[in-house]
Amino acid sequence: MDKLLIHGGTRLDGELRASGAKNSALKMLTASLLANEPVTISNVPHLRDITTMIEILGSLGVEVVVDEKMNIEIHANTIKSFTAGYDLVKTMRASFLVLGPMLAHYGQAIVSLPGGCAIGPRPIDQHLRGLQALGARIEMNEGYVHASVDGRLKGAHFSFDFCTVGGTEHVMMAATLAEGQTVLENCAREPEIVDLANCLNAMGADISGVGTGTIVINGVESMHGCTHRVIADRVEAATYLIAAATTGGRVKVKEAQQEHLEVVLTKLEEAGAEITVDDEGIELDMKGKRPKAVSLVTAPYPAFPTDLQAQIMVMNSIAEGTATVKETIFENRFMHVHEINRMGANIRLEGNNTIALVEGVAELNAAPVMANDLRASVSLVIAGLVAKGDTIVDRIYHIDRGYEQVEEKFRILGAHIERIHSR
Ligand code: UD1
């Protein structure tokens, strides 16, 4: 398993380009199953999760053509099987979202349950309830969800019990080919959902209200091909901004969108960063200062994203003052805390492991560390960048799931970081 070796203590300084958003691109690949013609998605990041989704489409018999610039062309009408198997689905929760589009287009789909995940149980009850509201028959059999419908799905009024990103996307995709109108309430509002809806509308869907709590979908009989460019990855962009803030440095992330990062930028300003936004992207400058600790609560968009909680925890761990970080989206998403504490941080967990009390320390010290999820792993890289000495971050296949060319990008910013390949 590859590891990253980081020689800490360098202030980050430089410019890089944000990659396309993984969480948009993955859903667009599943959305292509709705179309009768080829769909081309561009600005797709070169990531392990994207490869997994391409493999899943391939396992259905769908032809996928990827060019050297990661433009991906999907010919859904070449589909030969309606079963997505356990071996692929278990590795990535987002793969479950092939179910709705297959069901809506072909009237049938058998998809393995995504199974447990390192950041809590993450059930799919809202996905299934939404699809059932559209008239889907759902049965569970030996770890697989069997979904079917006679004819087309039927438009319906459905309200989610709570905000779910995947649930909103899944039911919205299925409703595009339903007969009549669907009104979805209590929807999640993440920019990736808006991006997905724009892609679906370019394929001929009729969706309005995305980005608000109520989405209205007027079902269409068929969907055609389109070309769609994925938005910039706000989580990746903010990860580099937070890394720069943690090291007292400066970074410009080109293509990063301010309107997707309002709350995060406000928190970084509170920490003492100077933020400049122009047509090219977002620049953060700490001017060599130590950050001030910032308290926050993770919650659905537009609030502070859970996917940046681990990274900002590291910034807080070496900040001036104390902070409270509350996680409200996932259970068990503080696994990085024990690892950062092993590097000398002073973080205490309370409230049944949902609240972290961070007392900033003057410095962290290098240590061998590892984590079991994507964002926790990258937070340990940030810890390594600011720590004294050489940190080895193990199990970085998690980082490769979501961060394109992570060590190259950090090196562009002046970091001393290298990948240790092992078999
Ligand atoms: C997506 C993102 C992930 C991000 C998360 C929250 C992708 C590929 N992943 O994940 O990076 O951290 O949004 O912003 O886009 N839940 C249920 N039942 C359901 C669905 C969800 O109980 O049917 C729970 C989950 O366990 C979790 C919470 O709802 O506690 C939010 O999950 P959800 O918004 O669905 O996250 P994902 O779509 O899985």
Side-chain angles (χ1 to χ4, degrees):
M1 261 184 276
D2 289 2
K3 300 177 171 69
L4 286 175
L5 170 64
I6 304 148
H7 182 69
T10 310
R11 218 168 251 173
L12 296 184
D13 189 0
E15 294 187 3
L16 51 81
R17 191 186 77 84
S19 297
K22 165 180 86 81
N23 288 351
S24 281
L26 283 173
K27 318 307 166 53
M28 287 167 197
L29 293 176
T30 70
S32 68
L33 290 168
L34 292 160
N36 288 326
E37 294 170 351
V39 169
T40 303
I41 311 293
S42 66
N43 199 31
V44 178
H46 199 318
L47 296 171
R48 168 91 54 99
D49 275 5
I50 297 291
T51 314
T52 303
M53 190 60 90
I54 292 173
E55 279 176 36
I56 290 169
L57 293 174
S59 76
L60 303 173
V62 170
E63 266 174 36
V64 182
V65 183
V66 184
D67 75 11
E68 70 288 352
K69 289 190 175 148
M70 283 298 283
N71 296 313
I72 303 187
E73 192 179 290
I74 309 110
H75 298 242
N77 57 2
T78 57
I79 197 162
K80 290 173 195 69
S81 154
F82 302 105
T83 304
Y86 174 71
D87 282 348
L88 287 166
V89 177
K90 72 169 185 212
T91 64
M92 182 179 66
R93 182 176 159 82
S95 44
F96 186 66
L97 274 72
V98 296
L99 183 122
M102 266 199 287
L103 171 69
H105 194 170
Y106 302 103
Q108 52 177 317
I110 303 176
V111 180
S112 167
L113 282 163
C117 173
I119 48 174
R122 303 180 87 182
I124 40 133
D125 55 308
Q126 299 298 306
H127 300 229
L128 298 183
R129 282 193 48 230
L131 294 173
Q132 278 169 326
L134 299 178
R137 270 191 307 274
I138 305 276
E139 283 164 27
M140 304 287 187
N141 200 348
E142 296 182 352
Y144 279 75
V145 178
H146 294 243
S148 60
V149 63
D150 298 325
R152 290 167 70 188
L153 291 169
K154 302 264 178 313
H157 204 116
F158 178 75
S159 184
F160 293 98
D161 292 339
F162 47 83
C163 273
T164 150
V165 175
T168 301
E169 293 166 331
H170 204 168
V171 184
M172 175 175 80
M173 286 194 282
T176 56
L177 284 180
E179 217 177 305
Q181 188 178 71
T182 297
V183 179
L184 301 178
E185 309 258 26
N186 202 16
C187 295
R189 306 166 186 204
E190 269 67 4
E192 293 76 20
I193 303 175
V194 178
D195 198 22
L196 174 64
N198 288 340
C199 176
L200 290 164
N201 282 342
M203 289 160 64
D206 179 357
I207 305 173
S208 56
V210 257
T212 75
T214 305
I215 300 180
V216 178
I217 305 127
N218 291 310
V220 294
E221 268 181 38
S222 66
M223 282 161 78
H224 49 74
C226 79
T227 298
H228 181 86
R229 186 174 199 276
V230 176
I231 57 169
D233 193 317
R234 66 193 163 104
V235 177
E236 189 214 23
T239 298
Y240 289 105
L241 296 175
I242 295 171
T246 308
T247 64
R250 181 200 72 93
V251 68
K252 179 162 189 177
V253 185
K254 291 185 179 165
E255 295 195 25
Q257 300 285 304
Q258 176 195 23
E259 66 268 30
H260 298 162
L261 285 167
E262 300 272 5
V263 173
V264 178
L265 297 179
T266 304
K267 285 291 164 195
L268 288 168
E269 276 176 338
E270 222 180 277
E274 247 175 50
I275 308 272
T276 320
V277 179
D278 63 21
D279 291 348
E280 276 189 333
I282 303 174
E283 178 168 331
L284 175 145
D285 197 345
M286 274 312 269
K287 304 208 167 217
K289 287 180 307 209
R290 180 180 175 194
K292 294 198 228 16
V294 290
S295 294
L296 58 99
V297 180
T298 66
Y301 189 84
F304 195 92
T306 175
D307 284 351
L308 292 168
Q309 176 258 103
Q311 299 88 316
I312 208 143
M313 184 88 80
V314 173
M315 186 194 82
N316 275 333
S317 74
I318 53 92
E320 215 180 297
T322 57
T324 308
V325 175
K326 186 166 186 214
E327 171 64 48
T328 72
I329 306 285
F330 291 113
E331 298 164 25
N332 197 19
R333 208 178 194 184
F334 278 142
M335 288 170 300
H336 44 286
V337 164
H338 307 292
E339 296 298 282
I340 310 168
N341 278 345
R342 288 182 50 238
M343 297 175 75
N346 183 359
I347 309 172
R348 216 172 62 241
L349 293 182
E350 286 193 351
N352 206 10
N353 287 355
T354 57
I355 300 173
L357 301 176
V358 193
E359 196 155 321
V361 295
E363 61 181 25
L364 296 181
N365 292 301
V369 285
M370 65 179 180
N372 290 328
D373 93 56
L374 167 57
R375 310 302 172 185
S377 299
V378 85
S379 80
L380 298 177
V381 173
I382 301 176
L385 289 171
V386 77
K388 250 169 79 182
D390 291 342
T391 295
I392 291 182
V393 183
D394 205 345
R395 296 207 183 159
I396 59 157
Y397 55 85
H398 291 294
I399 301 183
D400 293 333
R401 287 184 57 179
Y403 286 88
E404 193 173 43
Q405 297 178 309
V406 69
E407 68 271 30
E408 283 89 342
K409 285 195 172 182
F410 273 121
R411 268 204 296 267
I412 291 172
L413 305 179
H416 298 285
I417 177 168
E418 63 181 278
R419 183 177 289 253
I420 308 170
H421 293 280
S422 53
R423 289 197 291 151

